[in-house]
Amino acid sequence: MAAAPARKVALGPADVAVERRSDGAILLRSPHALHPYPENLTSRLAHWARVAPERRLIAQRDAGGGWRSLNYGQALSRVRAIAQSLLDRGLSRERPLAILSDNDIEHFLLALACLHVGIAYAPVSSAYSLVSTDHARLKYVLGLLTPGLVYATDGERYAKAIAAAVPPGTEVLTGERFAELGAATPGPAVDAAHATVGPDTIAKFLLTSGSTGQPKAVINTQRMLCSNQQMIAQTLPSLCEAPPVLVDWLPWNHTAGSNHNTGIVIYNGGTLYIDEGRPVPGLIEHTVRNLREIGPTIYFNVPRGYDALLPYLREDDALRERFFSRLQLLQYAAAVLPQPTWEAYEALAVRTCGERVLWTTGYGATETSPAVMYTGRGAVRAGSLGLPLDGVEMKLTPVDDKLEARFRGPNITPGYWRQPELTAAAFDDEGYYRTGDALRFVDEADPMLGLEFDGRTTEDFKLGTGTWVSVGPLRARISAACSPYVQDVVITGHNRDALGALVFPNAIVCQGLDAAALRAHLQPVFERLWREGTGSSTRIARALIMEAPPSIDASEVTDKGSINQRAVLKNRAGLVERLYAEPIHPDIMVLAK
């Protein structure tokens, strides 16, 4: 596939200046300046409403299966009316708006109304309301934020969560009454409030579960949102050449969907089609239906989403032709994309349109709004993260035998709302945000090739022999080898003689497979990995397939779906013991020969 030509797409320069300090730290930055950016995000909404009022901004399936939509002119008018209603309620950063429900047009308008007049809002993961059984996280979050208004699109679905978690006396508004918000006539107060919205104005609070403990409310300012969009635009100037078209499901309670993707649309005058699908059985079909009708110009998904979509693209000529018809870039995030999946999409693109479509990815966090690195010339291979964006300062700091990635720049959060101790711990003495992630150069001799993930600095451990285990790369290697049957793995073996793995199946691919059939598929893969291993720190001796999926209530999975290794090991200590017990349990795959 590498011999096939790549579809032409405008890309910005991807250069890096490297400084190695005597303390072992490595400083990296782009030599290119960050261009000016607006003081607030909805100034871009107003711009496009003025120059292209009839252009479609957002669309969503209606009950009949058609598309209901708003153009830029309509959206700005409705945003101003809703903003007046929110101002009348006295909402502010101290009394923000909490949105409990998933992506929809009403959620979108509420968010923009808040941004327009400087009212903070917090999109809360619907899992806290609809998946959680005790609503403990939702109670904690609403207690931390002290919202002046709580909104949920579907009052019946969210009734139990609202009753359990919303503080007494807090106004609750459901979708059945949404029209009330737009009935107000926007007055001078809206324009006056908008005029005060500047770079330091708090735009939103995004909740991050972190590796342990209760959620943190990450402060997102207007400066963060706007500077980050300018960084992305300089890295991917194709976004500025023609209005981008997105078909996207990524949830707006997470920074990728909320900041990165919707921000790209608003900043560059694009169109967002809300995808009600998900990469799970019964919902991936909705994504397929949408992509049969709408060809995106840039497509964002998580690796599991690309895996779920792949068989449909292979089997459906019309879907494949529409999907690749004007696609300029494929981007993945949240986890490492298996190399076979990468190559499969390249092959499908060449088969369909005679050209490769470049893969791109990057690196970021909720605290970085999110993008701080990008593979601006296209990714070298699955797993590469690229280089720092224009305007970002990066420091690789030695921590034990790894290099922790730390960042400074206008897109970095000032801290956590009402959590000063956590804020102080999040930054080093030079003001760099500590990510806790370890990165390494793809090629030490050529920094231009960028960096790749090297695990978490806190998840590595020693075997009983004293040998260090680098967990992140090992998990990625196993997941790639076991694709598409495995969603993720958790590595065991702290202070033991050998490594083990708790294996979480991919629910879509493994639908209909019983445990015995899945073990039969995976046994030879794990045996090959054992043979290819270079020692005790890279060889899995025993593996156990998990019957229960990771639990959000038990902090085993983050809001974006990634596995929390530490929480899984703590909560499933009994299964870890079973993995090492003698005699060997019949459910265990034994690899040590």
Side-chain angles (χ1 to χ4, degrees):
M1 291 302 105
R7 178 166 285 180
K8 291 184 179 179
V9 58
L11 298 172
D15 307 317
V16 67
V18 180
E19 176 189 347
R20 297 179 184 270
R21 297 199 319 202
S22 58
D23 61 0
I26 304 172
L27 306 182
L28 300 96
R29 62 174 179 80
S30 166
H32 306 285
L34 180 63
H35 299 171
Y37 49 86
E39 292 196 340
N40 60 72
L41 188 62
T42 57
S43 65
R44 296 298 291 168
L45 173 67
H47 167 78
W48 294 113
R50 185 171 61 253
V51 303
E54 299 302 318
R55 183 182 300 163
R56 179 176 284 181
L57 166 58
I58 191 165
Q60 179 184 9
R61 294 280 186 189
D62 60 24
W67 292 102
R68 68 182 181 110
S69 65
L70 292 174
N71 62 35
Y72 275 88
Q74 293 167 330
L76 180 59
S77 177
R78 295 191 65 180
V79 162
R80 297 185 73 252
I82 293 168
Q84 181 67 62
S85 291
L86 299 182
L87 289 173
D88 291 344
R89 285 169 163 79
L91 301 187
S92 64
R93 70 178 192 174
E94 303 292 337
R95 300 181 67 248
L97 167 67
I99 302 176
L100 305 187
S101 42
D102 288 325
N103 305 2
D104 60 24
I105 289 177
E106 289 71 28
H107 183 153
F108 187 76
L109 291 172
L110 281 168
L112 288 177
C114 288
L115 292 172
H116 194 64
V117 292
I119 294 170
Y121 79 100
V124 181
S125 171
S126 62
Y128 290 3
S129 298
L130 304 180
V131 177
S132 174
T133 56
D134 60 11
H135 301 110
R137 286 194 173 193
L138 183 59
K139 293 175 189 174
Y140 175 83
V141 163
L142 296 182
L144 176 66
L145 297 175
T146 61
L149 176 65
V150 174
Y151 176 81
T153 296
D154 189 326
E156 184 176 347
R157 289 184 72 209
Y158 286 83
K160 184 176 180 180
I162 290 169
V166 175
T170 303
E171 182 183 4
V172 175
L173 190 74
T174 62
E176 294 80 2
R177 295 174 50 210
F178 183 80
E180 296 177 17
L181 294 176
T185 300
V190 171
D191 294 328
H194 178 66
T196 67
V197 179
D200 293 319
T201 303
I202 294 178
K204 65 180 79 171
F205 303 113
L206 286 179
L207 302 166
T208 179
S209 53
S211 57
T212 59
Q214 294 284 11
K216 297 174 287 188
V218 181
I219 299 169
N220 279 233
T221 65
Q222 294 278 353
R223 176 184 285 107
M224 290 170 63
L225 304 186
C226 295
S227 67
N228 205 223
Q229 284 303 319
Q230 183 59 37
M231 292 172 184
I232 295 168
Q234 290 179 212
T235 300
L236 304 177
S238 59
L239 297 171
C240 311
E241 293 182 347
V245 176
L246 274 63
V247 180
D248 191 52
W249 67 268
L250 294 179
W252 293 342
N253 63 281
H254 185 258
T255 185
S258 180
N259 289 354
H260 189 279
N261 296 359
T262 60
I264 280 175
V265 169
I266 295 165
Y267 203 79
N268 300 287
T271 302
L272 172 64
Y273 290 87
I274 297 175
D275 178 12
E276 70 279 18
R278 293 290 188 276
V280 296
L283 293 178
I284 184 62
E285 294 82 2
H286 295 292
T287 296
V288 170
R289 176 191 182 189
N290 294 333
L291 291 173
R292 281 198 186 104
E293 294 184 23
I294 311 298
T297 60
I298 182 170
Y299 190 64
F300 301 102
N301 214 327
V302 297
R304 184 168 49 169
Y306 280 110
D307 281 338
L309 183 59
L310 188 55
Y312 294 92
L313 288 170
R314 283 174 168 153
E315 297 167 7
D316 188 329
D317 292 346
L319 169 66
R320 190 170 60 253
E321 288 171 7
R322 175 72 72 180
F323 182 72
F324 288 109
S325 61
R326 54 180 175 179
L327 188 64
Q328 296 179 327
L329 291 167
L330 290 159
Q331 179 168 336
Y332 70 90
V336 175
L337 184 78
Q339 189 66 31
T341 304
W342 169 304
E343 294 169 358
Y345 274 83
E346 284 196 335
L348 286 173
V350 172
R351 170 182 163 189
T352 306
C353 54
E355 300 173 306
R356 290 181 297 116
V357 174
L358 289 179
W359 281 103
T360 185
T361 187
Y363 173 85
T366 308
E367 290 84 352
T368 64
S369 64
V372 281
M373 298 173 67
Y374 240 103
T375 53
R377 292 195 179 107
V380 178
R381 62 171 183 262
S384 57
L385 301 175
L387 294 166
L389 300 180
D390 299 346
V392 171
E393 298 175 80
M394 178 180 185
K395 179 169 67 170
L396 295 174
T397 301
V399 177
D400 296 324
D401 61 342
K402 290 183 178 288
L403 292 170
E404 182 191 14
R406 301 180 182 181
F407 297 94
R408 289 193 311 202
N411 58 319
I412 307 300
T413 182
Y416 303 105
W417 184 242
R418 295 172 174 167
Q419 295 168 310
E421 299 84 3
L422 294 176
T423 297
F427 297 88
D428 68 14
D429 56 4
E430 294 182 296
Y432 286 87
Y433 167 66
R434 307 170 185 258
T435 66
D437 287 332
L439 303 185
R440 63 188 177 197
F441 287 103
V442 171
D443 184 345
E444 284 282 351
D446 187 1
M448 290 294 295
L449 293 178
L451 295 108
E452 60 187 1
F453 188 61
D454 194 25
R456 294 281 295 173
T457 58
T458 57
E459 69 181 6
D460 292 353
F461 60 83
K462 286 183 179 181
L463 290 167
T465 60
T467 303
W468 274 105
V469 178
S470 186
V471 171
L474 183 57
R475 286 174 60 192
R477 176 170 162 251
I478 295 170
S479 295
C482 295
S483 177
Y485 296 102
V486 169
Q487 174 186 334
D488 209 333
V489 295
V490 168
I491 307 300
T492 70
H494 178 62
N495 285 337
R496 297 181 185 269
D497 294 333
L499 294 180
L502 303 180
V503 181
F504 289 91
N506 183 316
I508 298 172
V509 177
C510 298
Q511 189 177 26
L513 283 178
D514 61 22
L518 183 54
R519 283 197 300 273
H521 279 292
L522 296 181
Q523 181 79 32
V525 179
F526 273 97
E527 289 176 355
R528 174 174 59 80
L529 290 171
W530 169 270
R531 293 192 300 270
E532 293 174 353
T534 57
S536 60
S537 65
T538 59
R539 284 176 167 165
I540 300 297
R542 298 183 184 184
L544 176 61
I545 295 171
M546 297 292 94
E547 295 181 2
S551 164
I552 191 169
D553 283 338
S555 301
E556 291 183 338
V557 61
T558 68
D559 300 336
K560 63 183 179 182
S562 58
I563 298 293
N564 180 345
Q565 163 117 353
R566 292 174 63 186
V568 170
L569 291 175
K570 177 182 176 182
N571 298 332
R572 307 195 186 210
L575 293 177
V576 175
E577 292 302 322
R578 181 196 296 183
L579 195 60
Y580 290 94
E582 298 289 347
I584 299 174
H585 192 280
D587 289 345
I588 306 296
M589 288 186 286
V590 181
L591 296 317
K593 303 296 185 182

PDB file of all heavy atoms in Angstrom, residues 127-129 132-143 164-165 214-215 553:
ATOM      1  N   ALA A 127     -23.320   8.243  31.465  1.00  0.00           N
ATOM      2  CA  ALA A 127     -23.109   7.002  32.223  1.00  0.00           C
ATOM      3  C   ALA A 127     -23.282   7.235  33.722  1.00  0.00           C
ATOM      4  O   ALA A 127     -23.702   6.321  34.449  1.00  0.00           O
ATOM      5  CB  ALA A 127     -21.716   6.445  31.940  1.00  0.00           C
ATOM      6  N   TYR A 128     -22.972   8.434  34.202  1.00  0.00           N
ATOM      7  CA  TYR A 128     -23.168   8.728  35.625  1.00  0.00           C
ATOM      8  C   TYR A 128     -24.643   8.640  36.011  1.00  0.00           C
ATOM      9  O   TYR A 128     -24.973   8.370  37.166  1.00  0.00           O
ATOM     10  CB  TYR A 128     -22.660  10.131  35.956  1.00  0.00           C
ATOM     11  CG  TYR A 128     -21.158  10.316  35.914  1.00  0.00           C
ATOM     12  CD1 TYR A 128     -20.298   9.290  35.531  1.00  0.00           C
ATOM     13  CD2 TYR A 128     -20.589  11.531  36.246  1.00  0.00           C
ATOM     14  CE1 TYR A 128     -18.936   9.476  35.496  1.00  0.00           C
ATOM     15  CE2 TYR A 128     -19.214  11.722  36.222  1.00  0.00           C
ATOM     16  CZ  TYR A 128     -18.392  10.697  35.838  1.00  0.00           C
ATOM     17  OH  TYR A 128     -17.030  10.892  35.798  1.00  0.00           O
ATOM     18  N   SER A 129     -25.518   8.891  35.018  1.00  0.00           N
ATOM     19  CA  SER A 129     -26.956   8.864  35.279  1.00  0.00           C
ATOM     20  C   SER A 129     -27.614   7.559  34.867  1.00  0.00           C
ATOM     21  O   SER A 129     -28.506   7.059  35.565  1.00  0.00           O
ATOM     22  CB  SER A 129     -27.642  10.017  34.526  1.00  0.00           C
ATOM     23  OG  SER A 129     -27.189  11.271  34.958  1.00  0.00           O
ATOM     24  N   SER A 132     -24.559   4.017  35.905  1.00  0.00           N
ATOM     25  CA  SER A 132     -24.278   3.882  37.333  1.00  0.00           C
ATOM     26  C   SER A 132     -25.514   3.390  38.076  1.00  0.00           C
ATOM     27  O   SER A 132     -26.651   3.762  37.757  1.00  0.00           O
ATOM     28  CB  SER A 132     -23.836   5.230  37.901  1.00  0.00           C
ATOM     29  OG  SER A 132     -23.688   5.167  39.293  1.00  0.00           O
ATOM     30  N   THR A 133     -25.286   2.570  39.059  1.00  0.00           N
ATOM     31  CA  THR A 133     -26.400   2.046  39.861  1.00  0.00           C
ATOM     32  C   THR A 133     -26.582   2.805  41.171  1.00  0.00           C
ATOM     33  O   THR A 133     -27.667   2.761  41.762  1.00  0.00           O
ATOM     34  CB  THR A 133     -26.177   0.559  40.167  1.00  0.00           C
ATOM     35  OG1 THR A 133     -24.912   0.388  40.826  1.00  0.00           O
ATOM     36  CG2 THR A 133     -26.199  -0.259  38.892  1.00  0.00           C
ATOM     37  N   ASP A 134     -25.533   3.491  41.623  1.00  0.00           N
ATOM     38  CA  ASP A 134     -25.664   4.197  42.903  1.00  0.00           C
ATOM     39  C   ASP A 134     -25.641   5.721  42.757  1.00  0.00           C
ATOM     40  O   ASP A 134     -25.901   6.434  43.720  1.00  0.00           O
ATOM     41  CB  ASP A 134     -24.566   3.759  43.873  1.00  0.00           C
ATOM     42  CG  ASP A 134     -23.154   4.045  43.356  1.00  0.00           C
ATOM     43  OD1 ASP A 134     -22.999   4.769  42.349  1.00  0.00           O
ATOM     44  OD2 ASP A 134     -22.195   3.521  43.966  1.00  0.00           O
ATOM     45  N   HIS A 135     -25.319   6.217  41.568  1.00  0.00           N
ATOM     46  CA  HIS A 135     -25.281   7.655  41.269  1.00  0.00           C
ATOM     47  C   HIS A 135     -24.327   8.424  42.184  1.00  0.00           C
ATOM     48  O   HIS A 135     -24.455   9.644  42.348  1.00  0.00           O
ATOM     49  CB  HIS A 135     -26.676   8.285  41.341  1.00  0.00           C
ATOM     50  CG  HIS A 135     -27.651   7.661  40.394  1.00  0.00           C
ATOM     51  ND1 HIS A 135     -28.698   6.877  40.799  1.00  0.00           N
ATOM     52  CD2 HIS A 135     -27.709   7.681  39.033  1.00  0.00           C
ATOM     53  CE1 HIS A 135     -29.372   6.451  39.750  1.00  0.00           C
ATOM     54  NE2 HIS A 135     -28.788   6.913  38.656  1.00  0.00           N
ATOM     55  N   ALA A 136     -23.368   7.710  42.761  1.00  0.00           N
ATOM     56  CA  ALA A 136     -22.444   8.363  43.699  1.00  0.00           C
ATOM     57  C   ALA A 136     -21.599   9.425  43.000  1.00  0.00           C
ATOM     58  O   ALA A 136     -21.366  10.505  43.557  1.00  0.00           O
ATOM     59  CB  ALA A 136     -21.552   7.316  44.357  1.00  0.00           C
ATOM     60  N   ARG A 137     -21.135   9.117  41.810  1.00  0.00           N
ATOM     61  CA  ARG A 137     -20.316  10.101  41.098  1.00  0.00           C
ATOM     62  C   ARG A 137     -21.134  11.332  40.716  1.00  0.00           C
ATOM     63  O   ARG A 137     -20.636  12.464  40.785  1.00  0.00           O
ATOM     64  CB  ARG A 137     -19.693   9.465  39.860  1.00  0.00           C
ATOM     65  CG  ARG A 137     -18.562   8.523  40.154  1.00  0.00           C
ATOM     66  CD  ARG A 137     -17.778   8.197  38.901  1.00  0.00           C
ATOM     67  NE  ARG A 137     -16.587   7.430  39.209  1.00  0.00           N
ATOM     68  CZ  ARG A 137     -15.592   7.211  38.358  1.00  0.00           C
ATOM     69  NH1 ARG A 137     -15.668   7.693  37.138  1.00  0.00           N
ATOM     70  NH2 ARG A 137     -14.540   6.508  38.716  1.00  0.00           N
ATOM     71  N   LEU A 138     -22.348  11.114  40.274  1.00  0.00           N
ATOM     72  CA  LEU A 138     -23.197  12.250  39.905  1.00  0.00           C
ATOM     73  C   LEU A 138     -23.452  13.139  41.118  1.00  0.00           C
ATOM     74  O   LEU A 138     -23.401  14.376  41.022  1.00  0.00           O
ATOM     75  CB  LEU A 138     -24.500  11.745  39.307  1.00  0.00           C
ATOM     76  CG  LEU A 138     -25.462  12.821  38.802  1.00  0.00           C
ATOM     77  CD1 LEU A 138     -24.809  13.674  37.716  1.00  0.00           C
ATOM     78  CD2 LEU A 138     -26.750  12.194  38.287  1.00  0.00           C
ATOM     79  N   LYS A 139     -23.727  12.531  42.261  1.00  0.00           N
ATOM     80  CA  LYS A 139     -23.926  13.314  43.480  1.00  0.00           C
ATOM     81  C   LYS A 139     -22.679  14.135  43.800  1.00  0.00           C
ATOM     82  O   LYS A 139     -22.771  15.324  44.152  1.00  0.00           O
ATOM     83  CB  LYS A 139     -24.242  12.386  44.654  1.00  0.00           C
ATOM     84  CG  LYS A 139     -25.571  11.655  44.563  1.00  0.00           C
ATOM     85  CD  LYS A 139     -25.712  10.665  45.728  1.00  0.00           C
ATOM     86  CE  LYS A 139     -26.912   9.761  45.548  1.00  0.00           C
ATOM     87  NZ  LYS A 139     -26.988   8.704  46.599  1.00  0.00           N
ATOM     88  N   TYR A 140     -21.525  13.500  43.692  1.00  0.00           N
ATOM     89  CA  TYR A 140     -20.289  14.204  44.005  1.00  0.00           C
ATOM     90  C   TYR A 140     -20.073  15.377  43.054  1.00  0.00           C
ATOM     91  O   TYR A 140     -19.725  16.487  43.472  1.00  0.00           O
ATOM     92  CB  TYR A 140     -19.109  13.240  43.932  1.00  0.00           C
ATOM     93  CG  TYR A 140     -17.772  13.924  44.139  1.00  0.00           C
ATOM     94  CD1 TYR A 140     -17.297  14.185  45.417  1.00  0.00           C
ATOM     95  CD2 TYR A 140     -17.023  14.337  43.047  1.00  0.00           C
ATOM     96  CE1 TYR A 140     -16.091  14.844  45.604  1.00  0.00           C
ATOM     97  CE2 TYR A 140     -15.805  14.998  43.227  1.00  0.00           C
ATOM     98  CZ  TYR A 140     -15.351  15.247  44.498  1.00  0.00           C
ATOM     99  OH  TYR A 140     -14.157  15.908  44.673  1.00  0.00           O
ATOM    100  N   VAL A 141     -20.278  15.123  41.777  1.00  0.00           N
ATOM    101  CA  VAL A 141     -20.032  16.154  40.761  1.00  0.00           C
ATOM    102  C   VAL A 141     -20.952  17.351  40.960  1.00  0.00           C
ATOM    103  O   VAL A 141     -20.513  18.511  40.920  1.00  0.00           O
ATOM    104  CB  VAL A 141     -20.209  15.549  39.350  1.00  0.00           C
ATOM    105  CG1 VAL A 141     -20.373  16.636  38.306  1.00  0.00           C
ATOM    106  CG2 VAL A 141     -19.037  14.658  39.005  1.00  0.00           C
ATOM    107  N   LEU A 142     -22.241  17.103  41.176  1.00  0.00           N
ATOM    108  CA  LEU A 142     -23.171  18.214  41.353  1.00  0.00           C
ATOM    109  C   LEU A 142     -22.894  18.957  42.653  1.00  0.00           C
ATOM    110  O   LEU A 142     -23.089  20.179  42.734  1.00  0.00           O
ATOM    111  CB  LEU A 142     -24.608  17.703  41.304  1.00  0.00           C
ATOM    112  CG  LEU A 142     -25.038  17.083  39.961  1.00  0.00           C
ATOM    113  CD1 LEU A 142     -26.502  16.659  40.011  1.00  0.00           C
ATOM    114  CD2 LEU A 142     -24.793  18.037  38.798  1.00  0.00           C
ATOM    115  N   GLY A 143     -22.410  18.257  43.658  1.00  0.00           N
ATOM    116  CA  GLY A 143     -22.013  18.935  44.888  1.00  0.00           C
ATOM    117  C   GLY A 143     -20.800  19.820  44.683  1.00  0.00           C
ATOM    118  O   GLY A 143     -20.694  20.893  45.287  1.00  0.00           O
ATOM    119  N   ALA A 164     -32.094  11.213  42.627  1.00  0.00           N
ATOM    120  CA  ALA A 164     -31.056  10.740  43.532  1.00  0.00           C
ATOM    121  C   ALA A 164     -29.955  11.762  43.773  1.00  0.00           C
ATOM    122  O   ALA A 164     -29.344  11.764  44.844  1.00  0.00           O
ATOM    123  CB  ALA A 164     -30.434   9.454  42.985  1.00  0.00           C
ATOM    124  N   ALA A 165     -29.673  12.623  42.791  1.00  0.00           N
ATOM    125  CA  ALA A 165     -28.429  13.393  42.859  1.00  0.00           C
ATOM    126  C   ALA A 165     -28.580  14.906  42.808  1.00  0.00           C
ATOM    127  O   ALA A 165     -27.678  15.618  43.265  1.00  0.00           O
ATOM    128  CB  ALA A 165     -27.507  12.947  41.719  1.00  0.00           C
ATOM    129  N   GLN A 214     -12.341  10.479  43.045  1.00  0.00           N
ATOM    130  CA  GLN A 214     -13.519  11.099  42.469  1.00  0.00           C
ATOM    131  C   GLN A 214     -13.143  11.936  41.240  1.00  0.00           C
ATOM    132  O   GLN A 214     -11.992  12.328  41.056  1.00  0.00           O
ATOM    133  CB  GLN A 214     -14.186  11.987  43.519  1.00  0.00           C
ATOM    134  CG  GLN A 214     -14.756  11.229  44.699  1.00  0.00           C
ATOM    135  CD  GLN A 214     -16.058  10.522  44.351  1.00  0.00           C
ATOM    136  OE1 GLN A 214     -16.447  10.431  43.190  1.00  0.00           O
ATOM    137  NE2 GLN A 214     -16.737  10.007  45.370  1.00  0.00           N
ATOM    138  N   PRO A 215     -14.137  12.259  40.400  1.00  0.00           N
ATOM    139  CA  PRO A 215     -13.859  13.086  39.222  1.00  0.00           C
ATOM    140  C   PRO A 215     -13.297  14.451  39.602  1.00  0.00           C
ATOM    141  O   PRO A 215     -13.607  15.002  40.668  1.00  0.00           O
ATOM    142  CB  PRO A 215     -15.238  13.220  38.562  1.00  0.00           C
ATOM    143  CG  PRO A 215     -16.010  12.042  39.042  1.00  0.00           C
ATOM    144  CD  PRO A 215     -15.529  11.786  40.437  1.00  0.00           C
ATOM    145  N   ASP A 553     -18.755   2.353  37.754  1.00  0.00           N
ATOM    146  CA  ASP A 553     -18.938   2.656  39.176  1.00  0.00           C
ATOM    147  C   ASP A 553     -17.698   2.314  39.992  1.00  0.00           C
ATOM    148  O   ASP A 553     -17.401   2.964  40.992  1.00  0.00           O
ATOM    149  CB  ASP A 553     -20.138   1.889  39.739  1.00  0.00           C
ATOM    150  CG  ASP A 553     -21.466   2.512  39.328  1.00  0.00           C
ATOM    151  OD1 ASP A 553     -21.476   3.707  38.996  1.00  0.00           O
ATOM    152  OD2 ASP A 553     -22.484   1.799  39.342  1.00  0.00           O
TER     153      ASP A 553
END
